[in-house]
Amino acid sequence: MISIKTEREIELLKIAGEIVGDTHKYLIPYLKPGITTKKIDTMARDYIISRGATPSCYHYDGYPANICISINEEVVHGIASNRKLKDGDIITLDICACYKGYHGDSAWSYAVGNVSEEKKYLLEHTEKALYKGLEVIKEGTHVGDIGYAVETYALEHNLGVVKELVGHGVGNELHEDPEVPNYGRKNTGPVLKSGMVIAVEPMLNLGTADVYLLDDDWTVVTADGEPSAHFEHTVLITKEGYTILTKR
Ligand code: MF3
Ligand code: CO
């Protein structure tokens, strides 16, 4: 069942989304060589709490950190540690916050120092793929239209589309219906209505689309070790289109 949010729920989802967007903005200046991912995770937690919210990822299904931090070939759900960022890394911060019971969810990949032309290409086109997916959204859009738009753009740019992980509805649970795959066919899947809230989140790889799970049971990495990028916004569906709730 895909829930239609009430006015009050939309107000809370807007605040949760704003806190997530602001957490990204707050952390960006610190994404420099030498900082540990643990430090970034702690700063994210403290900032989210300072805004009257809680990090939704913490203890979600037993997840041991506050936000997900994934570097280079790590696709999603990397766990903060004493690892230090290095010049040339790309780092994805997947930040979820819960405000008065309602969630916001946004992932964004960033360059650390000077990155290769290939990594710049991956970042540029994964971000564009997110907007290609968002652009088709309005009341009446099928979920398959979003996946079709993302996948078509990714394949045109020779990027691997991760299929094992998908976008989702967002509300008083972090993951709600519908699933929002980054692949699909036009006019298939659930129909979106105004008042629904979903997270669209392409994960694209420079090489193969294949991924596997590390022994820590959380971190998903590319099968060929090539880098991966991830861009995600939580959006409210409207009659005319959509509103980004996780603006930065
Ligand atoms: N934004 C992540 C997702 O949609 C949230 C993961 S929380 C975690 O998958 F605890 F599973 F890491
Ligand atoms: Co998500």
Side-chain angles (χ1 to χ4, degrees):
M1 213 263 298
I2 310 177
S3 64
I4 309 272
K5 271 64 183 183
T6 63
E7 284 302 318
R8 176 185 147 74
E9 288 182 305
I10 290 168
E11 273 321 300
L12 296 176
L13 285 160
K14 279 185 176 157
I15 297 171
E18 213 170 272
I19 293 169
V20 169
D22 289 348
T23 308
H24 275 282
K25 280 201 298 201
Y26 169 71
L27 292 171
I28 289 168
Y30 298 98
L31 304 177
K32 297 274 156 60
I35 192 170
T36 65
T37 55
K38 184 84 200 155
K39 174 82 182 160
I40 298 165
D41 184 75
T42 305
M43 290 175 67
R45 177 197 65 197
D46 291 347
Y47 182 81
I48 290 167
I49 290 173
S50 80
R51 295 288 299 270
T54 53
S56 317
C57 288
Y58 184 67
H59 284 183
Y60 181 98
D61 279 347
Y63 184 74
N66 297 288
I67 63 171
C68 300
I69 303 181
S70 308
I71 298 173
N72 298 331
E73 78 285 1
E74 297 172 352
V75 180
V76 290
H77 303 164
I79 299 169
S81 70
N82 293 325
R83 177 174 181 176
K84 288 184 173 143
L85 298 190
K86 292 205 304 277
D87 188 61
D89 282 342
I90 57 174
I91 179 174
T92 300
L93 305 181
D94 191 352
I95 303 177
C96 303
C98 182
Y99 181 77
K100 297 194 176 163
Y102 287 82
H103 297 269
D105 185 2
S106 176
W108 215 260
S109 298
Y110 303 97
V112 178
N114 294 306
V115 303
S116 66
E117 288 305 314
E118 277 188 317
K119 282 179 170 171
K120 281 185 197 156
Y121 177 92
L122 174 68
L123 292 173
E124 178 187 339
H125 293 295
T126 309
E127 180 175 354
K128 286 202 175 134
L130 166 62
Y131 289 103
K132 287 286 170 191
L134 294 177
E135 274 165 18
V136 303
I137 295 178
K138 60 177 178 347
E139 174 142 311
T141 297
H142 288 260
V143 167
D145 300 341
I146 300 173
Y148 177 79
V150 169
E151 184 181 32
T152 302
Y153 185 84
L155 296 180
E156 278 168 9
H157 291 83
N158 216 11
L159 296 170
V161 179
V162 177
K163 309 244 176 15
E164 286 80 352
L165 299 140
V166 295
H168 49 91
V170 179
N172 55 8
E173 290 188 62
L174 180 57
H175 296 127
E176 299 187 351
D177 288 343
E179 289 197 345
V180 185
N182 296 301
Y183 56 91
R185 284 179 295 121
K186 283 186 187 170
N187 296 314
T188 63
V191 177
L192 297 175
K193 295 204 180 68
S194 123
M196 292 177 175
V197 173
I198 61 169
V200 177
E201 48 177 317
M203 289 145 267
L204 304 185
N205 302 342
L206 256 188
T208 176
D210 297 341
V211 298
Y212 68 92
L213 185 64
L214 293 187
D215 285 340
D216 66 12
D217 270 343
W218 279 105
T219 313
V220 175
V221 298
T222 58
D224 58 7
E226 291 291 328
S228 184
H230 184 192
F231 288 80
E232 172 184 34
H233 269 314
T234 302
V235 303
L236 168 70
I237 317 304
T238 64
K239 285 254 183 302
E240 312 291 321
Y242 63 95
T243 307
I244 296 176
L245 302 181
T246 42
K247 277 197 203 93
R248 60 249 328 294

